Amino acid sequence: MTGAGTSVDCDVHAQVPNIGALLPYFDDYWREMIEVRGIEGFELVNYPPSSPLTCRPDWRGEDGTNGGDAAMAARHVLDERGVDIAIVNCLYGVQAIHDDYMAAAFAKAINDWLADKWLAQEPRFRASIVVPAQNPALAVAEIERRAGDPRFVQVLLLASGDLPLGRNVYWPIFEAAERHGLPIGIHAGSAYRNALTCNGWPSYHVEAYVDLTHALQGQVASLVTHGVFKKFPALKVVLVESGVSWLPAFLWRLSKFWHGVRIEAPWIDRPPAEIVREHFRLTLQPFDAPPSASIVQKVVEHVGSEDILLYASDYPHWHFDGDQTLPDGISELLRKKIYSANPLSTYRKIGEMS
Amino acid sequence: MTTDVRTPNRPSAAGSSTVARAAQERYKVIDSDLHPSARSLEDLKPFLSKRWWDHLQTYGYRSRQGLYQGQVYPKAAPFAHRRDAIPPEGGFGGSNLEFMRSQYLDACNIEVAIMSPLNFTGQGDDNHELSAALARAINEWQVECWTRLEPRLRASIVVPYEDTALSVEEIERWAEHPHFAQILLLTRTSEPLGRRRFWPIYEAAQKHGLPVGIHVFGASGHPTSPAGWPSYYMEDMTSHAAACQGMLASFALEGVFERFPGLKIINIEGGFAWLPAFEWRLDKHWERMRGEVPHLKRPPSEYLREGLRISTQPFEEPENPKHLIDIFEWIGYDRLLFATDYPHWDFDDPATTLPRQIGPERMQQILSGNARKLYRLG
């Protein structure tokens, strides 16, 4: 249906229905802790369960979850759209927990639950490895535990955690990801360690959502200026649910200041815009532009590369109505790349498996 | 190594061609961002009470950054100045009126320059009373040492913005003084500027018909990126655009313009190319979640379309200069104000910065027409 070869939806969300669903995937200690301490589960405040953002009305599951189970998600994102493969990102509050070990136990439980209830149920699904980024050593251990499974194709991080991701405390995560051919997916969202804007905390949910691009911008700047791609030249980073259209102006600005003050980071030996176009990818949806084909066309031109946009529905988040996932204004040729060639060259494990 | 940011297709002021010089003479320039500086704190002594002078000698400034002396992101040049803007006797660029006249006011064909003092102003200091005393001193200093001596200069009412009541007091002190063109805030405030605690400032601004200029920098106490504190100056510089976006989202979504429809705000020194994508995002997600902000009667970008002006510096440098024209079209030529940022290193020269293909009418509009209307310069 997409007419593009193996097509991939690079951002589909699985919601954990309740803490009970995860219990089988903990050891005895953590099962007891969850019960004794009355832990009801962890959902990120960025996506309040009933917000119109969090779920399109016709995508609410019969089980009360946003998006339903694997079968329902497969129907909507694969069957109805003629898409072949989808990458499941579970946004759970793992990254917001302050206890590193609890976060690690939850990350493991989420990944095992995903393997069991999503990947084993639907062979066309792939998943991202949820990791406790709070503690890079534990994050690496979780990557090692899952990287051998060909169905796990990415490492998932949140846009705002403790420190900017370029800092070398995080490099073991990138080392493991590069070694296993796993891109790093940085998903919009915050662990609320840092105020959502540098001017403090916004008043509204919609404001907080609009402001989520700031952390993504900060991560791009951080990864580039710290020289992460000099150290890990094969590493790819996918900005997931980023909004996309902020990228060109951001790159002009970053490149301009690099040009002006590059004496402080002499290891960056070419314009940041070039580094970003080589190493970063962005999922479509939401695509922050008005419904105007000519504007969309220009934004895509400003982005400056046909290789970096990846198809995504962001199911079940509500960014568009009806069946048209891609905005008007994208050429037929680019459309094919977005659906297939770009995802396949980003997620090499998908091609190796199929 | 040079700190010149210009790409080869953007000749610097020093090497500008005769064509550019000739073009410059055709256009009058109203600069919406000039930075005058005291030579040292001594210059402010006549305008400070003994109590605050002694306080400063003993305890100094305490803004929300970890250093008593120095910058947590050291600049790439002393004081972030153009190296040639240091006056002959040394010290801060912008601290010698005579030198400023020859290097900048005359050379750049400046009709009027709006001063945004940044040094010694105490904005954002955690001691709000000190911040108020310094704001008052800086405001008197602007009149006594600058605008009285040079008719091309206009002052900004510097306010201790973390304390709204003291800020309103300072606005009332100067609002009817003809040398003051705007109220000056910084972007990095402890809370987003749209929040209600700041509204009396906007009420006073509207009452007196004064625009509110909001200049980048300040020390909010929050990481300059919500990704966490960056390590490098270039990250810090880049992050100003996000600070502006957060500030403007707050203005739009809190309904500040619904409450103060006559208010005009100016985003200063944050660049401008990010504005269209930001406004698209704002509208798109407002459309989905408008139930949360029923006080808005229109899409948020419409309020910004009327209430927001944006200064052009540091000027954007896309790889393909044609993309700049798209950005201008999306923003609207009537919202752009030219700014030089003299004497700082990323100074934009009015003779060479704007792309010629927008035509003389729009050149003049951005270089002075929009500012003349906004600041009511007649």
Side-chain angles (χ1 to χ4, degrees):
Chain A
M1 196 172 174
T2 62
T6 302
S7 53
V8 185
D9 184 335
C10 298
D11 188 27
V12 168
H13 295 291
Q15 192 193 353
V16 177
N18 52 56
I19 191 78
L22 291 181
L23 283 179
Y25 309 103
F26 287 100
D27 65 19
D28 290 344
Y29 171 76
W30 284 111
R31 238 187 325 269
E32 187 183 346
M33 285 304 101
I34 287 165
E35 192 190 329
V36 169
R37 298 173 72 176
I39 294 169
E40 296 176 316
F42 303 106
E43 289 290 343
L44 289 169
V45 71
N46 296 123
Y47 299 91
S50 298
S51 159
L53 167 75
T54 310
C55 192
R56 201 170 115 165
D58 54 334
W59 289 343
R60 297 222 186 249
E62 284 167 16
D63 57 357
T65 60
N66 291 316
D69 60 8
M72 177 171 167
R75 198 164 66 243
H76 287 306
V77 304
L78 300 174
D79 301 340
E80 286 174 10
R81 280 155 213 281
V83 170
D84 302 309
I85 301 281
I87 300 170
V88 179
N89 293 317
C90 184
L91 286 178
Y92 198 68
V94 169
Q95 296 87 349
I97 302 170
H98 284 282
D99 174 348
D100 295 356
Y101 299 99
M102 185 188 289
F106 269 85
K108 172 184 171 294
I110 294 282
N111 293 327
D112 291 354
W113 171 79
L114 280 170
D116 206 12
K117 299 295 180 196
W118 286 70
L119 304 180
Q121 306 300 320
E122 174 49 71
R124 293 172 293 173
F125 280 154
R126 303 291 179 273
S128 295
I129 307 173
V130 175
V131 297
Q134 297 89 324
N135 183 320
L138 295 176
V140 168
E142 188 59 21
I143 294 170
E144 297 298 346
R145 207 176 64 82
R146 274 296 171 195
D149 184 336
R151 301 169 303 174
F152 282 88
V153 299
Q154 176 169 250
V155 175
L156 185 66
L157 301 176
L158 207 54
S160 178
D162 295 86
L163 294 171
L165 290 168
R167 300 283 297 265
N168 69 7
V169 296
Y170 294 114
W171 290 15
I173 295 177
F174 305 140
E175 188 278 325
E178 187 190 47
R179 183 160 37 82
H180 292 293
L182 296 165
I184 298 287
I186 302 179
H187 197 287
S190 173
Y192 277 61
R193 300 291 198 268
N194 304 302
L196 292 181
T197 81
C198 94
N199 345 61
W201 299 94
S203 302
Y204 306 106
H205 165 54
V206 58
E207 187 180 357
Y209 189 73
V210 168
D211 289 339
L212 286 183
T213 52
H214 309 180
L216 289 158
Q217 292 170 13
Q219 299 297 14
V220 176
S222 178
L223 290 164
V224 169
T225 53
H226 283 80
V228 167
F229 303 103
K230 288 292 265 194
K231 185 78 180 169
F232 306 106
L235 190 68
K236 292 276 190 288
V237 175
V238 182
L239 304 180
V240 190
E241 203 179 323
S242 69
V244 182
S245 58
W246 53 265
L247 185 75
F250 172 79
L251 292 183
W252 301 342
R253 191 171 166 88
L254 181 61
S255 292
K256 171 163 177 151
F257 290 125
W258 163 78
H259 192 185
V261 306
R262 61 193 186 276
I263 50 173
E264 67 168 340
W267 49 89
I268 313 172
D269 52 9
R270 57 194 174 125
E274 270 183 49
I275 298 172
V276 170
R277 291 192 184 109
E278 183 178 327
H279 290 278
F280 283 82
R281 301 290 178 263
L282 296 90
T283 64
L284 283 164
Q285 287 308 339
F287 186 81
D288 294 331
S292 150
S294 70
I295 290 182
V296 170
Q297 202 176 355
K298 280 183 174 162
V299 170
V300 168
E301 189 190 307
H302 291 195
V303 165
S305 167
E306 299 219 322
D307 301 326
I308 73 175
L309 299 177
L310 310 178
Y311 170 76
S313 63
D314 196 20
Y315 177 90
H317 295 171
W318 188 12
H319 300 299
F320 61 93
D321 293 298
D323 289 335
Q324 194 188 340
T325 319
L326 290 191
D328 286 331
I330 291 176
S331 73
E332 196 46 40
L333 189 67
L334 179 57
R335 218 176 86 88
K336 287 183 179 168
K337 295 189 81 170
I338 288 172
Y339 268 103
S340 179
N342 294 349
L344 291 178
S345 65
T346 306
Y347 299 102
R348 281 177 297 131
K349 282 181 83 176
I350 291 179
E352 285 162 13
M353 190 183 172
S354 52
Chain B
M1 181 178 282
T2 177
T3 55
D4 185 347
V5 299
R6 286 161 200 284
T7 45
N9 60 349
R10 299 249 336 266
S12 70
S16 54
S17 64
T18 35
V19 178
R21 282 286 156 210
Q24 169 202 332
E25 279 154 21
R26 289 210 312 268
Y27 298 109
K28 291 179 171 173
V29 177
I30 297 176
D31 182 359
S32 60
D33 191 30
L34 159 67
H35 298 294
S37 179
R39 289 166 298 182
S40 73
L41 192 56
E42 284 292 321
D43 282 358
L44 297 182
K45 195 173 179 184
F47 310 110
L48 285 163
S49 66
K50 181 171 183 317
R51 182 254 189 275
W52 289 116
W53 177 257
D54 291 347
H55 177 103
L56 283 164
Q57 296 307 304
T58 312
Y59 303 104
Y61 291 82
R62 286 174 51 260
S63 75
R64 291 182 177 175
Q65 62 145 12
L67 299 174
Y68 179 80
Q69 186 195 16
Q71 304 269 347
V72 290
Y73 299 107
K75 311 293 185 191
F79 318 120
H81 285 344
R82 264 171 60 171
R83 286 171 201 273
D84 66 345
I86 309 290
E89 70 278 13
F92 292 109
S95 64
N96 175 331
L97 177 57
E98 216 31 65
F99 187 66
M100 182 194 282
R101 279 183 178 127
S102 66
Q103 185 177 51
Y104 158 77
L105 287 168
D106 299 339
C108 295
N109 204 24
I110 303 293
E111 181 189 345
V112 172
I114 313 297
M115 300 192 295
S116 305
L118 297 179
N119 294 350
F120 308 109
T121 59
Q123 284 191 303
D125 197 282
D126 269 329
N127 182 332
H128 296 175
E129 286 181 68
L130 170 64
S131 189
L134 281 163
R136 183 171 181 176
I138 283 283
N139 292 334
E140 283 189 39
W141 167 83
Q142 288 181 79
V143 174
E144 297 305 324
C145 300
W146 297 92
T147 60
R148 258 190 216 295
L149 310 178
E150 173 49 67
R152 286 172 287 187
L153 300 178
R154 293 292 183 282
S156 293
I157 306 178
V158 172
V159 297
Y161 52 70
E162 292 295 347
D163 187 303
T164 303
L166 293 174
S167 295
V168 171
E169 242 178 69
E170 195 58 25
I171 294 168
E172 293 300 337
R173 185 170 290 124
W174 300 104
E176 299 305 321
H177 192 297
H179 294 183
F180 285 85
Q182 68 176 356
I183 295 161
L184 186 67
L185 311 179
L186 300 180
T187 48
R188 287 175 177 165
T189 45
S190 63
E191 286 188 72
L193 275 172
R195 299 195 81 160
R196 281 172 184 266
R197 64 174 261 211
F198 297 108
W199 286 15
I201 294 176
Y202 312 134
E203 187 177 12
Q206 180 176 262
K207 184 175 79 177
H208 293 291
L210 285 167
V212 176
I214 309 166
H215 190 286
V216 296
F217 285 99
S220 67
H222 302 291
T224 51
S225 164
W229 288 101
S231 303
Y232 300 104
Y233 177 47
M234 74 177 77
E235 294 175 84
D236 180 55
M237 291 294 284
T238 306
S239 76
H240 283 302
C244 296
Q245 291 158 36
M247 180 266 289
L248 295 174
S250 176
F251 265 99
L253 294 170
E254 297 271 1
V256 175
F257 296 104
E258 191 62 49
R259 179 75 179 74
F260 306 107
L263 179 69
K264 295 277 185 282
I265 62 171
I266 309 155
N267 195 98
I268 306 172
E269 203 180 311
F272 59 90
W274 45 265
L275 184 62
F278 161 70
E279 290 185 339
W280 297 333
R281 180 171 176 85
L282 192 58
D283 280 1
K284 181 183 172 101
H285 300 291
W286 164 80
E287 184 67 45
R288 180 70 68 228
M289 292 173 264
R290 55 199 290 181
E292 192 194 15
V293 285
H295 48 275
L296 295 192
K297 309 282 183 261
R298 295 182 284 154
S301 76
E302 284 190 23
Y303 295 103
L304 295 176
R305 183 76 192 70
E306 282 167 29
L308 169 69
R309 300 292 178 273
I310 190 159
S311 78
T312 52
Q313 187 276 338
F315 205 75
E316 312 288 354
E317 300 184 32
E319 294 107 318
N320 179 349
K322 277 190 205 145
H323 295 169
L324 254 181
I325 307 298
D326 296 333
I327 299 288
F328 280 151
E329 300 279 340
W330 289 332
I331 291 176
Y333 289 93
D334 57 335
R335 297 168 86 192
L336 294 155
L337 307 176
F338 189 80
T340 67
D341 194 31
Y342 181 86
H344 292 144
W345 67 272
D346 44 355
F347 168 85
D348 283 331
D349 186 339
T352 55
T353 299
L354 291 177
R356 295 255 161 298
Q357 60 266 45
I358 63 175
E361 210 166 291
R362 284 169 167 165
M363 292 277 285
Q364 188 63 80
Q365 191 179 7
I366 296 173
L367 286 168
S368 68
N370 294 333
R372 194 184 314 283
K373 210 164 137 193
L374 176 70
Y375 299 114
R376 300 181 186 176
L377 296 171

